[in-house]
Amino acid sequence: MTPQDHRRLFQGPLDGDGRRSIYLKITRMEGPRFLEIFDFPNPLQGRGNRDVTNVPPQALAMLNDPFVIDQAKAWAGKLISRPEESLEARLNYIFLSGLGRPAREQELTSWRSLAAELARKHQSSNILESEAVWTDLTHTLFNLKEFLYLR
């Protein structure tokens, strides 16, 4: 498969490293499907302002789109490679890096409980080393209203 074939078959960043970009190559006849769900403007028309919507396909994309799941897996891999001493330290780190603020005590309690439940579900004895647990936790963070919306 040539790089040109890959670009036609798969949407996403052109560099292939999962980086976001200010400037993206846009094909006029076939826009980026994931971004179209989130009010990406039609490339054939000039547009002064973008629409702001909140519709079910957006929530479903954040739950099921392969791009979002891949980003959660990538983040989980980076978290596992970090030498954290405790579950709380790692949870605080994902809140700081994902939401720009430390986790509140109530959130830490809830997320510790969620991590334990996910470890049981994935039959993982070591939460800090489980890619499946951290993929699910980061995917959950991606779907928080605080992550999705600007105040």
Side-chain angles (χ1 to χ4, degrees), residues 2-3 6 8 13 15 46 50 55 66 78-79 81 87 98-99 102 105 110-111 115 121 123 132 137-138 142 148:
T2 68
H6 180 76
R8 273 187 243 128
D15 67 6
R50 289 186 49 189
V55 293
K78 289 178 183 177
L79 289 170
S81 68
L87 177 62
L99 302 178
E105 191 56 42
S110 298
W111 282 66
K121 176 187 167 212
Q123 300 174 350
L137 287 170
T138 54
F142 287 159
L148 296 171

Side-chain angles (χ1 to χ4, degrees), residues 94-102:
I94 67 170
F95 270 77
L96 272 173
S97 58
L99 302 178
R101 65 167 179 83

Side-chain angles (χ1 to χ4, degrees), residues 47-108:
R47 187 78 183 208
N49 293 328
R50 289 186 49 189
D51 295 328
V52 178
T53 61
N54 182 4
V55 293
Q58 294 170 350
L60 291 171
M62 291 302 291
L63 289 172
N64 301 316
D65 193 273
F67 173 75
V68 176
I69 294 167
D70 287 346
Q71 293 305 304
K73 284 180 186 174
W75 195 9
K78 289 178 183 177
L79 289 170
I80 290 169
S81 68
R82 287 178 53 87
E84 297 295 342
E85 299 155 359
S86 68
L87 177 62
E88 289 79 13
R90 190 167 291 164
L91 289 172
N92 267 317
Y93 177 77
I94 67 170
F95 270 77
L96 272 173
S97 58
L99 302 178
R101 65 167 179 83
R104 297 179 189 100
E105 191 56 42
Q106 180 183 4
E107 291 169 326
L108 280 175

